[in-house]
mmCIF file of all heavy atoms in Angstrom:
data_model
loop_
_atom_site.group_PDB
_atom_site.id
_atom_site.type_symbol
_atom_site.label_atom_id
_atom_site.label_comp_id
_atom_site.label_asym_id
_atom_site.label_seq_id
_atom_site.Cartn_x
_atom_site.Cartn_y
_atom_site.Cartn_z
ATOM 1 N N GLN V 254 16.291 29.525 14.745
ATOM 2 C CA GLN V 254 17.257 29.154 13.746
ATOM 3 C C GLN V 254 16.655 28.101 12.850
ATOM 4 O O GLN V 254 16.742 28.174 11.560
ATOM 5 C CB GLN V 254 18.576 28.610 14.272
ATOM 6 C CG GLN V 254 19.456 29.693 14.850
ATOM 7 C CD GLN V 254 20.788 29.043 15.237
ATOM 8 O OE1 GLN V 254 21.460 28.526 14.348
ATOM 9 N NE2 GLN V 254 21.143 29.124 16.511
ATOM 10 N N SER V 255 15.908 27.080 13.503
ATOM 11 C CA SER V 255 15.385 25.936 12.666
ATOM 12 C C SER V 255 14.329 26.385 11.765
ATOM 13 O O SER V 255 14.038 25.748 10.733
ATOM 14 C CB SER V 255 14.885 24.879 13.701
ATOM 15 O OG SER V 255 15.943 24.381 14.503
ATOM 16 N N TRP V 256 13.639 27.502 12.169
ATOM 17 C CA TRP V 256 12.470 27.871 11.393
ATOM 18 C C TRP V 256 12.796 29.036 10.416
ATOM 19 O O TRP V 256 11.908 29.626 9.812
ATOM 20 C CB TRP V 256 11.312 28.395 12.332
ATOM 21 C CG TRP V 256 10.636 27.262 12.965
ATOM 22 C CD1 TRP V 256 10.829 25.919 12.677
ATOM 23 C CD2 TRP V 256 9.638 27.242 14.042
ATOM 24 N NE1 TRP V 256 9.958 25.135 13.555
ATOM 25 C CE2 TRP V 256 9.207 26.003 14.378
ATOM 26 C CE3 TRP V 256 9.055 28.384 14.683
ATOM 27 C CZ2 TRP V 256 8.292 25.631 15.409
ATOM 28 C CZ3 TRP V 256 8.150 28.072 15.714
ATOM 29 C CH2 TRP V 256 7.662 26.768 15.999
ATOM 30 N N GLN V 257 14.070 29.351 10.240
ATOM 31 C CA GLN V 257 14.456 30.264 9.273
ATOM 32 C C GLN V 257 14.564 29.489 7.850
ATOM 33 O O GLN V 257 15.275 28.558 7.781
ATOM 34 C CB GLN V 257 15.900 30.876 9.566
ATOM 35 C CG GLN V 257 15.899 31.767 10.773
ATOM 36 C CD GLN V 257 15.094 33.077 10.491
ATOM 37 O OE1 GLN V 257 15.222 33.562 9.417
ATOM 38 N NE2 GLN V 257 14.376 33.513 11.442
ATOM 39 N N PRO V 258 13.943 30.069 6.870
ATOM 40 C CA PRO V 258 14.010 29.446 5.571
ATOM 41 C C PRO V 258 15.400 29.523 4.937
ATOM 42 O O PRO V 258 15.906 30.640 4.905
ATOM 43 C CB PRO V 258 12.979 30.186 4.717
ATOM 44 C CG PRO V 258 12.751 31.538 5.437
ATOM 45 C CD PRO V 258 13.046 31.272 6.795
ATOM 46 N N ARG V 259 15.942 28.370 4.614
ATOM 47 C CA ARG V 259 17.305 28.356 4.089
ATOM 48 C C ARG V 259 17.485 27.840 2.686
ATOM 49 O O ARG V 259 18.370 28.065 1.974
ATOM 50 C CB ARG V 259 18.181 27.470 5.046
ATOM 51 C CG ARG V 259 18.200 28.024 6.473
ATOM 52 C CD ARG V 259 18.858 27.206 7.424
ATOM 53 N NE ARG V 259 18.677 27.701 8.763
ATOM 54 C CZ ARG V 259 19.395 28.760 9.325
ATOM 55 N NH1 ARG V 259 20.368 29.235 8.617
ATOM 56 N NH2 ARG V 259 19.141 29.180 10.490
ATOM 57 N N THR V 260 16.374 27.086 2.249
ATOM 58 C CA THR V 260 16.380 26.564 0.943
ATOM 59 C C THR V 260 14.947 26.226 0.585
ATOM 60 O O THR V 260 14.014 26.536 1.291
ATOM 61 C CB THR V 260 17.316 25.293 0.891
ATOM 62 O OG1 THR V 260 17.382 24.807 -0.547
ATOM 63 C CG2 THR V 260 16.712 24.126 1.648
ATOM 64 N N ARG V 261 14.784 25.705 -0.561
ATOM 65 C CA ARG V 261 13.395 25.323 -1.037
ATOM 66 C C ARG V 261 13.368 23.972 -1.797
ATOM 67 O O ARG V 261 14.226 23.667 -2.480
ATOM 68 C CB ARG V 261 12.913 26.441 -1.990
ATOM 69 C CG ARG V 261 11.404 26.383 -2.323
ATOM 70 C CD ARG V 261 10.933 27.520 -3.168
ATOM 71 N NE ARG V 261 11.049 28.820 -2.552
ATOM 72 C CZ ARG V 261 10.087 29.431 -1.848
ATOM 73 N NH1 ARG V 261 8.915 28.759 -1.746
ATOM 74 N NH2 ARG V 261 10.257 30.573 -1.290
ATOM 75 N N SER V 262 12.346 23.186 -1.483
ATOM 76 C CA SER V 262 12.207 21.896 -2.074
ATOM 77 C C SER V 262 12.037 21.986 -3.590
ATOM 78 O O SER V 262 10.989 22.695 -3.972
ATOM 79 C CB SER V 262 11.063 21.069 -1.414
ATOM 80 O OG SER V 262 10.822 19.901 -2.118
ATOM 81 N N PRO V 263 12.713 21.248 -4.338
ATOM 82 C CA PRO V 263 12.438 21.251 -5.849
ATOM 83 C C PRO V 263 11.244 20.486 -6.193
ATOM 84 O O PRO V 263 10.768 20.623 -7.305
ATOM 85 C CB PRO V 263 13.734 20.571 -6.356
ATOM 86 C CG PRO V 263 14.193 19.609 -5.235
ATOM 87 C CD PRO V 263 13.812 20.374 -3.991
ATOM 88 N N PHE V 264 10.750 19.653 -5.303
ATOM 89 C CA PHE V 264 9.567 18.825 -5.624
ATOM 90 C C PHE V 264 8.238 19.518 -5.337
ATOM 91 O O PHE V 264 7.244 19.197 -6.030
ATOM 92 C CB PHE V 264 9.632 17.563 -4.722
ATOM 93 C CG PHE V 264 10.864 16.738 -4.946
ATOM 94 C CD1 PHE V 264 11.821 16.608 -3.946
ATOM 95 C CD2 PHE V 264 11.135 16.153 -6.196
ATOM 96 C CE1 PHE V 264 12.988 15.883 -4.156
ATOM 97 C CE2 PHE V 264 12.324 15.423 -6.330
ATOM 98 C CZ PHE V 264 13.183 15.243 -5.375
ATOM 99 N N ASN V 265 8.202 20.409 -4.329
ATOM 100 C CA ASN V 265 6.846 21.042 -4.011
ATOM 101 C C ASN V 265 6.907 22.493 -3.727
ATOM 102 O O ASN V 265 5.913 23.110 -3.463
ATOM 103 C CB ASN V 265 6.225 20.302 -2.770
ATOM 104 C CG ASN V 265 7.234 20.263 -1.599
ATOM 105 O OD1 ASN V 265 7.853 21.200 -1.237
ATOM 106 N ND2 ASN V 265 7.428 18.999 -1.097
ATOM 107 N N GLY V 266 8.117 23.024 -3.745
ATOM 108 C CA GLY V 266 8.298 24.519 -3.550
ATOM 109 C C GLY V 266 8.273 24.909 -2.063
ATOM 110 O O GLY V 266 8.351 26.096 -1.755
ATOM 111 N N TYR V 267 8.051 23.963 -1.167
ATOM 112 C CA TYR V 267 8.079 24.334 0.263
ATOM 113 C C TYR V 267 9.378 24.924 0.702
ATOM 114 O O TYR V 267 10.421 24.327 0.288
ATOM 115 C CB TYR V 267 7.759 23.111 1.164
ATOM 116 C CG TYR V 267 6.368 22.510 1.023
ATOM 117 C CD1 TYR V 267 6.043 21.227 1.398
ATOM 118 C CD2 TYR V 267 5.310 23.240 0.396
ATOM 119 C CE1 TYR V 267 4.813 20.724 1.338
ATOM 120 C CE2 TYR V 267 4.034 22.752 0.231
ATOM 121 C CZ TYR V 267 3.792 21.502 0.667
ATOM 122 O OH TYR V 267 2.567 20.899 0.535
ATOM 123 N N ARG V 268 9.442 25.867 1.550
ATOM 124 C CA ARG V 268 10.595 26.321 2.141
ATOM 125 C C ARG V 268 11.131 25.317 3.204
ATOM 126 O O ARG V 268 10.252 24.574 3.743
ATOM 127 C CB ARG V 268 10.420 27.760 2.770
ATOM 128 C CG ARG V 268 10.227 28.865 1.750
ATOM 129 C CD ARG V 268 9.549 30.023 2.426
ATOM 130 N NE ARG V 268 8.162 29.798 2.889
ATOM 131 C CZ ARG V 268 7.552 30.357 3.818
ATOM 132 N NH1 ARG V 268 8.104 31.304 4.517
ATOM 133 N NH2 ARG V 268 6.345 29.999 4.094
ATOM 134 N N TYR V 269 12.430 25.308 3.555
ATOM 135 C CA TYR V 269 12.940 24.341 4.451
ATOM 136 C C TYR V 269 13.982 25.014 5.355
ATOM 137 O O TYR V 269 14.838 25.794 4.884
ATOM 138 C CB TYR V 269 13.582 23.191 3.693
ATOM 139 C CG TYR V 269 13.841 21.979 4.492
ATOM 140 C CD1 TYR V 269 12.790 21.127 4.889
ATOM 141 C CD2 TYR V 269 15.107 21.501 4.807
ATOM 142 C CE1 TYR V 269 13.008 20.037 5.661
ATOM 143 C CE2 TYR V 269 15.340 20.394 5.564
ATOM 144 C CZ TYR V 269 14.289 19.599 5.979
ATOM 145 O OH TYR V 269 14.527 18.453 6.710
ATOM 146 N N GLY V 270 13.995 24.697 6.613
ATOM 147 C CA GLY V 270 14.901 25.279 7.547
ATOM 148 C C GLY V 270 15.852 24.205 8.003
ATOM 149 O O GLY V 270 16.433 23.444 7.191
ATOM 150 N N TYR V 271 15.964 24.006 9.334
ATOM 151 C CA TYR V 271 16.784 22.967 9.879
ATOM 152 C C TYR V 271 15.876 21.724 10.311
ATOM 153 O O TYR V 271 15.419 21.649 11.511
ATOM 154 C CB TYR V 271 17.563 23.361 11.133
ATOM 155 C CG TYR V 271 18.793 24.275 10.781
ATOM 156 C CD1 TYR V 271 19.437 24.995 11.838
ATOM 157 C CD2 TYR V 271 19.344 24.242 9.466
ATOM 158 C CE1 TYR V 271 20.462 25.812 11.519
ATOM 159 C CE2 TYR V 271 20.435 24.998 9.265
ATOM 160 C CZ TYR V 271 21.014 25.782 10.245
ATOM 161 O OH TYR V 271 22.190 26.566 10.081
ATOM 162 N N GLY V 272 15.472 20.903 9.315
ATOM 163 C CA GLY V 272 14.559 19.753 9.660
ATOM 164 C C GLY V 272 13.163 20.046 9.689
ATOM 165 O O GLY V 272 12.309 19.186 10.075
#
Side-chain angles (χ1 to χ4, degrees):
Q254 286 187 59
S255 300
W256 287 352
Q257 288 294 317
R259 301 173 187 279
T260 185
R261 191 177 292 271
S262 169
F264 302 112
N265 50 50
Y267 295 163
R268 293 161 290 156
Y269 197 70
Y271 284 164

